[in-house]
Structure formats: structure tokens, C-alpha cells
């Protein structure tokens, strides 16, 4: 209904019809023109017929335009559905700091692997060998790396030093478990020169290094989030 009223407001035919109607009422209201009423009526009827023909043409053209626009809209929607949405990460090139941060958090995830194991048990009773491999990879891959942003570089260096310290400790103080070749454990006291006292000291130092590693990894992740290097829901199971 609103569309019809808008059409009437903007239609020359509707305006012409309204003007003829008003003129007809005025003409028939004047007594002096009653003698020529049939002539005036005939002219008004012809004018109304012409206005109706104009109105019909305008309405038909408007409907054709609406149908054409609807068809065009349907075609464009079909194209959008066919193309779909391209993931942002596939089209936008990452900055060097973003690539480094995502690679680090991919190597050292938070919800699985070594970090999760250390949170559950930092005493190194047993640690899976495959969980230690990403730690070694990280230390080797990022040995000479740096970040452009000072804050992210500081957080990275803290994480790297903690990871390197833990990695060295693992090599020096642990051994493959005799009962399971897939795990490592702290070398027992009877395999040490300083006995079980050395075992206790090694275990305490390992716990401190583990805590430093887990906390520095958390700080690096927070810094990367604050600087926009990674998103809130990274795609690498972090």
C-alpha cells in the first residue's frame, strides 16, 4: 500500500487526474457554466481517459523495472553463494612478528603437550619423549630469532631462555625410563655420584625451570594477544 501511495505521489498521470477532478468540481459548482456542462464534462472525460492511459503506462514501466531489479539481485546473490567467503588468513600476508608468534605457539601449545603435562606434574616423575621434541625444535629453530616490537621481543627472549634452560636440564638430569622407552625420568640417586641428595637437588631445580617455562609461555601468549600478533582463538590448538 505504501509503495502504491508513493507511486501516486510521483506520478504525472495521477497529478493530472487530480487536477481534472478539482477543475470539474469547480466548473460544475459555478452556475454560469451549467449551460455548457455537457461540453465541460466531455472535455473532462477525455482528460480522465488520457490520464488513466498515462497512469497505466507508468505503472507498467515501474513493474518492469522492479522485476528487472529483482532478477539482477537474484543473480548477484547466486554469485555470492557460489564464490563463498575466502578466509582472511589465506588472502592477507602476515607480518614477520605474526608469523614468528604463531609458529612458537604452534610448537608449544597450551592445552596439550609439554605445557599441559608440566602443569599437571612438574616433578618430572615421567615425561613423554614426544612431548619434549617440540621444546628441542623450538630452541634450535629460534636460536637466532628476534622480534621487531620491543615488548614481544622481551617476552620472546624470556620464553627462549626458560625453554633453553629446561632443555639443557632435561639432557643432563633425565634418562630414558628402563620400563618405557617412550618416557624420560630423572636419573635416580643410585646412578649419581652425589646419591639421592643430588637427585633431590636436580628435582627441585627441574621444578623451578618448569615453572619458569610455563609462566614465560603464558606471558608471551598474553603479549602476542595484546599486540594483535595472534587472535583470541588461534587456529593451531592453543
Amino acid at each position: 500500500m505504501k509503495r502504491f501511495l508513493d507511486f501516486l505521489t510521483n506520478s504525472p498521470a495521477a497529478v493530472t487526474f487530480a487536477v481534472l477532478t478539482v477543475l470539474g468540481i469547480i466548473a460544475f459548482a459555478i452556475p454560469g457554466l451549467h449551460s455548457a456542462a455537457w461540453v465541460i464534462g466531455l472535455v473532462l472525460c477525455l482528460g480522465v481517459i488520457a490520464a488513466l492511459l498515462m497512469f497505466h503506462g507508468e505503472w507498467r514501466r515501474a513493474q518492469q523495472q522492479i522485476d528487472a531489479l529483482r532478477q539482477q539481485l537474484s543473480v548477484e546473490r547466486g554469485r555470492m553463494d557460489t564464490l563463498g567467503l575466502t578466509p582472511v588468513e589465506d588472502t592477507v600476508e602476515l607480518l614477520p612478528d605474526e608469523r614468528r608468534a604463531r609458529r612458537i605457539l604452534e610448537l608449544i601449545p597450551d592445552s596439550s603437550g609439554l605445557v599441559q603435562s608440566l602443569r599437571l606434574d612438574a616433578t618430572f616423575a615421567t615425561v613423554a619423549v614426544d612431548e619434549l621434541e617440540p621444546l628441542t625444535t623450538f630452541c634450535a629453530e629460534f636460536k637466532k630469532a628476534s622480534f621487531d616490537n620491543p615488548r614481544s621481543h622481551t617476552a620472546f627472549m624470556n620464553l627462549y631462555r626458560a625453554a633453553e634452560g629446561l632443555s639443557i636440564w632435561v639432557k643432563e638430569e633425565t634418562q630414558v625410563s628402563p620400563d618405557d622407552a617412550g618416557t624420560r625420568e630423572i636419573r635416580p640417586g643410585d646412578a649419581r655420584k652425589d646419591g639421592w641428595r643430588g637427585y633431590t637437588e636436580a628435582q627441585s631445580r627441574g621444578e623451578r625451570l618448569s615453572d619458569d617455562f610455563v609462566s614465560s609461555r603464558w606471558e608471551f601468549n598474553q603479549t602476542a594477544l595484546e599486540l594483535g600478533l595472534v587472535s583470541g582463538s588461534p587456529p593451531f590448538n592453543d
Side-chain angles (χ1 to χ4, degrees):
M1 183 64 181
K2 183 179 184 298
R3 188 178 67 179
F4 180 73
L5 293 176
D6 292 339
F7 175 79
L8 291 180
T9 303
N10 297 281
S11 171
V15 174
T16 302
F17 182 82
V19 171
L20 290 175
T21 302
V22 173
L23 290 176
I25 294 174
I26 294 174
F28 284 102
I30 299 175
L33 297 178
H34 286 176
S35 58
W38 68 273
V39 177
I40 296 173
L42 179 61
V43 172
L44 290 176
C45 287
L46 293 175
V48 169
I49 292 173
L52 291 175
L53 291 174
M54 292 173 58
F55 177 81
H56 174 72
E58 292 175 356
W59 180 260
R60 186 175 180 180
R61 286 192 298 273
Q63 289 298 316
Q64 290 175 347
Q65 291 178 353
I66 292 173
D67 293 339
L69 290 173
R70 285 177 176 172
Q71 184 177 3
Q72 184 178 358
L73 179 61
S74 177
V75 171
E76 294 300 327
R77 284 179 175 173
R79 290 177 179 175
M80 291 177 64
D81 293 339
T82 302
L83 293 176
L85 298 177
T86 303
V88 175
E89 293 186 359
D90 292 342
T91 58
V92 178
E93 184 177 356
L94 297 177
L95 297 175
D97 278 4
E98 292 176 330
R99 289 197 300 271
R100 297 185 191 103
R102 295 183 183 213
R103 174 57 178 163
I104 291 171
L105 298 177
E106 180 185 16
L107 280 172
I108 313 172
D110 179 68
S111 58
S112 62
L114 182 61
V115 174
Q116 186 181 48
S117 295
L118 294 179
R119 282 176 175 165
L120 297 175
D121 182 13
T123 62
F124 272 92
T126 57
V127 179
V129 173
D130 57 357
E131 291 183 352
L132 294 169
E133 290 178 357
L135 180 69
T136 304
T137 302
F138 168 68
C139 292
E141 186 174 329
F142 288 87
K143 184 176 182 179
K144 297 181 179 180
S146 62
F147 279 71
D148 297 329
N149 184 280
R151 280 189 61 198
S152 56
H153 182 70
T154 299
F156 161 71
M157 289 304 301
N158 291 338
L159 174 60
Y160 185 83
R161 282 191 289 265
E164 186 179 39
L166 181 60
S167 180
I168 293 173
W169 179 88
V170 168
K171 294 176 182 178
E172 295 178 348
E173 303 292 348
T174 68
Q175 64 180 21
V176 176
S177 175
D179 301 326
D180 184 2
T183 62
R184 294 186 70 92
E185 62 183 11
I186 302 177
R187 285 188 293 110
D190 52 15
R192 295 173 177 270
K193 293 182 179 180
D194 48 3
W196 290 100
R197 182 175 62 85
Y199 172 88
T200 303
E201 292 176 354
Q203 185 180 44
S204 298
R205 191 160 68 91
E207 291 178 359
R208 290 195 301 271
L209 291 171
S210 299
D211 291 340
D212 291 343
F213 173 68
V214 172
S215 62
S216 62
R217 191 270 176 205
W218 182 88
E219 291 173 0
F220 177 80
N221 182 65
Q222 290 299 113
T223 302
L225 286 172
E226 292 173 4
L227 296 177
L229 302 180
V230 295
S231 61
S233 299
F236 34 70
N237 191 29
D238 179 45

